[in-house]
C-alpha cells in the first residue's frame, strides 16, 4: 500500500510517500519526505503570519508534491490513497492542502483521508518503531502540550493539557525576550548548552498539585524578570537563563509524567511504552531527561528522529494508511481550525490551539 501525505497546517509545506505491506501491523517505509520550511518568511515578524503562510503554501505545494513523487519514484496512478491535514491549524494553509488533495483524488479516483494533525504526531511512533497500543504519549509542539493515552487509531484519551501557553510557544517567547531569532526552540537549546542550569531559580508551576495539567506562563514571566534585571544581557547570562528555563521545563515534565506513568500502570499490566512527539520533542536535553525517567521506571522509550518530531507529511500519510487498512470511514467535514484529538475532553484554555505562535 502506498500513500501520499500532504501537510500545510502551519508554516511547513510538506509532502511525503509512505509504503506499508498489507496486514494490521506490517512495518512501514518512508519512500520520500519533503519539507519546505517558511521560517525565513516569518522570522522578521517573530512568529507565523497566517496570510504569508497561506500564500507561501499556494506558491510551493505543487512543486513539493512533485518532489515527493519523484524522490519516491512513484506516480499518482500508483498510489493507493491520499491523506491530508484538515486541522487543527491556520485556515488558509489548510484550505490550500485540502484543495490540492481533493483535486488529485478526484482526477485519479483515489480514496482521500482528512487527518487531524495531532493524530499524525500521535501515530508517528508506529511508523518509526511499530509501537503496539496502548501507549502513553507526551505531545509537545508549538500549539499543544498534552499527555494522551493512545489506545488505538482514532481512540485517544487526553489525560492532561497546558492550562495556558503551549510548551513550544514558551520556548519561542523565551527566545524572543532574550533577543534570539525565531523559531526559538532550537535557539534556546543551543544557548543552553553553555549555560548553568541552576543559575536561576525559576518556578515549577503546578508541581506537587493533584493534577496532571501543566502551566508555562508563570515560567515565561520569570524569564522576563530575569532578562530585565540587567540592561544589557551578556552571552553568558542568556545561556544561563536558557539552561535554567530548560531545566525547569524538564523538571515539570518529569514530575507530571511520572504521575501519568503510575496512572497508566494502575490500568494496564502490559509492557508500558512512553512516546514523545511534536517539535519540542526534538530537544536533546528534554529527551535525555525523559529517557532517564523511563529507564528508572522500567518503561520502553520511543522517540522518533528529529525530522519526524517536527511537522512533516510522512506522519500524515501514515495516519491515512493506518485508517485505510482498518477500513475506517473518512468523515470529510472540510477544514477545522480547532480539533481536539479527544473529543470528550473538557475544553481548557491553551488546549487545542495551533498556529497562534506570533
Ligand atoms: O510540531 P511543530 O513542528 O509544529 C507545531 O505543530 O506546532 O512544533 C514547533 C515548535 C516550535 O514552537 C519550536 O520552537 C519548537 O517546536 N521546537 C523546539 C525545538 N525544535 C523545535 N523546542 C525546543 N527545543 C527544540 N530543539
Ligand atoms: Zn505539529
Amino acid at each position: 500500500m502506498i500513500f501520499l501525505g500532504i501537510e500545510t497546517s502551519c508554516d511547513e509545506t510538506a509532502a511525503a510517500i509512505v509504503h506499508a505491506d498489507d496486514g494490521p501491523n506490517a512495518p512501514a517505509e518512508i519512500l520520500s519526505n519533503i519539507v519546505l520550511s517558511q521560517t525565513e518568511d516569518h522570522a522578521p515578524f517573530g512568529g507565523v503570519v497566517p496570510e504569508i503562510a497561506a500564500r507561501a503554501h499556494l506558491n510551493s505545494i505543487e512543486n513539493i508534491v512533485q518532489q515527493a513523487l519523484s524522490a519516491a519514484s512513484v506516480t499518482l496512478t500508483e498510489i493507493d490513497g491520499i491523506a491530508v491535514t484538515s486541522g487543527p491549524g491556520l485556515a488558509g494553509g489548510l484550505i490550500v492542502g485540502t484543495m490540492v488533495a481533493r483535486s488529485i483524488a478526484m482526477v485519479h479516483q483515489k480514496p482521500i483521508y482528512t487527518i487531524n494533525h495531532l493524530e499524525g504526531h500521535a501515530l508517528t511512533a508506529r511508523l518509526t518503531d511499530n509501537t503496539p497500543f496502548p501507549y502513553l504519549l507526551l505531545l509537545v509542539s508549538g500549539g499543544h502540550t498534552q499527555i494522551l493515552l493512545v489506545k488505538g487509531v482514532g481512540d485517544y484519551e487526553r489525560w492532561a493539557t497546558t492550562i495556558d501557553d503551549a510548551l513550544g510557544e514558551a520556548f519561542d517567547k523565551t527566545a524572543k525576550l532574550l533577543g534570539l531569532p525565531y523559531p526559538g526552540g532550537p535557539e534556546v537549546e543551543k544557548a543552553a548548552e553553555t549555560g548553568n542550569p541552576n543559575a536561576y531559580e525559576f518556578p515549577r508551576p503546578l508541581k506537587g498539585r493533584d493534577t496532571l495539567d501543566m502551566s508555562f506562563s508563570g515560567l515565561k514571566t520569570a524569564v522576563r524578570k530575569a532578562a530585565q534585571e540587567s540592561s544589557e544581557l551578556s552571552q553568558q547570562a542568556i545561556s544561563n537563563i536558557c539552561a535554567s528555563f530548560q531545566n525547569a521545563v524538564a523538571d515539570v515534565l518529569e514530575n507530571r509524567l511520572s504521575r501519568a506513568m503510575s496512572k497508566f500502570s494502575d490500568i494496564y499490566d502490559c509492557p508500558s511504552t512512553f512516546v514523545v512527539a511534536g517539535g519540542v520533542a526534538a530537544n536533546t536535553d528534554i529527551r535525555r531527561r525523559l529517557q532517564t525517567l523511563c529507564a528508572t521506571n522500567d518503561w520502553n522509550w520511543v522517540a522518533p528522529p528529529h525530522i519526524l518530531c517536527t511537522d512533516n507529511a510522512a506522519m500524515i500519510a501514515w495516519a491515512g494508511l493506518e485508517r485505510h487498512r482498518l477500513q475506517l470511514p473518512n468523515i470529510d467535514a472540510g477544514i477545522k481550525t480547532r480539533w481536539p484529538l479527544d473529543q470528550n475532553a473538557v475544553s481548557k484554555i491553551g488546549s487545542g490551539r495551533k498556529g497562534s505562535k506570533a
Side-chain angles (χ1 to χ4, degrees), residues 236-316:
Q236 190 55 50
I238 291 176
S239 289
N240 286 345
I241 293 176
C242 289
S244 302
F245 166 80
Q246 226 172 240
N247 191 24
V249 166
D251 269 359
V252 170
L253 293 178
E254 232 174 46
N255 176 269
R256 289 302 183 285
L257 286 163
S258 59
R259 295 162 66 109
M261 284 175 172
S262 304
K263 180 171 170 177
F264 184 99
S265 304
D266 286 345
I267 305 171
Y268 297 105
D269 283 336
C270 58
S272 310
T273 302
F274 172 70
V275 172
V276 282
V280 184
N283 186 290
T284 313
D285 196 45
I286 291 177
R287 280 165 100 101
R288 192 177 42 76
R289 290 278 293 272
L290 298 180
Q291 192 172 6
T292 307
L293 178 71
C294 284
T296 312
N297 289 293
D298 224 6
W299 275 56
N300 300 319
W301 157 257
V302 176
H306 291 207
I307 178 76
L308 296 176
C309 280
T310 48
D311 287 352
N312 65 86
M315 67 180 191
I316 303 304

Side-chain angles (χ1 to χ4, degrees), residues 3-6 16-18 83-84 115 313-322:
F3 256 68
L4 164 67
I6 294 177
I17 305 287
V18 172
V84 60
I115 301 294
M315 67 180 191
I316 303 304
W318 171 247
L321 207 150
E322 288 242 64

Side-chain angles (χ1 to χ4, degrees), residues 12 117 121 141-143 168-169 171-172 183-186 189 278-280 282-283 309-311 354 357:
E12 273 92 18
H117 176 88
H121 281 303
S141 68
E169 204 180 346
F171 266 94
D172 293 335
E189 175 172 10
V280 184
N283 186 290
C309 280
T310 48
D311 287 352
K354 184 171 189 281
K357 294 180 191 169

